Amino acid sequence: MKLIVPAFDRHYRVSATDYNWTNPDEILTIGTDEAFVGLDSRRYTTHGRVAALDVTRAEVNAKIISLLTRDGFYVPGRERQSTETRRRMGEVFGLARGFETGTVIVLHRGRPRRHAAPPN
């Protein structure tokens, strides 16, 4: 399935405001209006890449619940939290929608957009 992973390693920067503190090939979701956050590391990056990953929805769901639990937004056993989990699942799977595998994307005001190539 198509998901977003970090686009660059820790040493690559397109501009002075770029950063990547995530783990390689970590699944990303929206962290802020301008940055992705890794589901495992809870660290941020400014660029994501659409990748075809061999993971199941259940595995991604478990990662989201783990992220929400560590951040205090999810307490196992509370029924109303399934809404937040479903919202995050839709977000994780929806980020790559409409982009081809390999496309580098950034967030602008919380929405994914294709990264414009830097001028030569």
Side-chain angles (χ1 to χ4, degrees):
M1 71 183 54
K2 288 193 322 185
L3 297 169
I4 305 298
V5 298
F8 308 120
D9 68 21
R10 297 174 197 269
H11 306 292
Y12 183 89
R13 293 175 77 168
V14 175
S15 75
T17 60
D18 293 335
Y19 51 87
N20 178 23
W21 300 311
T22 60
N23 297 327
D25 296 325
E26 177 175 21
I27 297 171
L28 303 176
T29 189
I30 296 173
T32 67
D33 281 348
E34 305 296 327
F36 299 100
V37 65
L39 292 181
D40 295 322
S41 69
R42 296 179 7 205
R43 294 181 180 179
Y44 292 84
T45 185
T46 52
H47 290 77
R49 177 178 47 83
V50 178
L53 300 179
D54 187 24
V55 294
T56 65
R57 289 185 72 83
E59 291 170 329
V60 175
N61 190 40
K63 288 177 182 289
I64 290 170
I65 289 173
S66 176
L67 173 73
L68 294 173
T69 301
R70 287 182 292 181
D71 288 344
F73 295 110
Y74 187 92
V75 178
R78 283 195 188 157
E79 184 57 36
R80 65 184 177 161
Q81 293 169 137
S82 61
T83 303
E84 177 68 14
T85 304
R86 281 194 305 274
R87 186 184 74 75
R88 286 292 186 144
M89 284 289 285
E91 185 177 276
V92 168
F93 291 114
L95 282 172
R97 190 174 295 127
F99 297 103
E100 295 178 18
T101 301
T103 302
V104 175
I105 63 172
V106 295
L107 289 175
H108 178 71
R109 296 184 179 168
R111 296 208 178 266
R113 64 169 46 168
R114 184 180 308 274
H115 177 265
N120 290 336

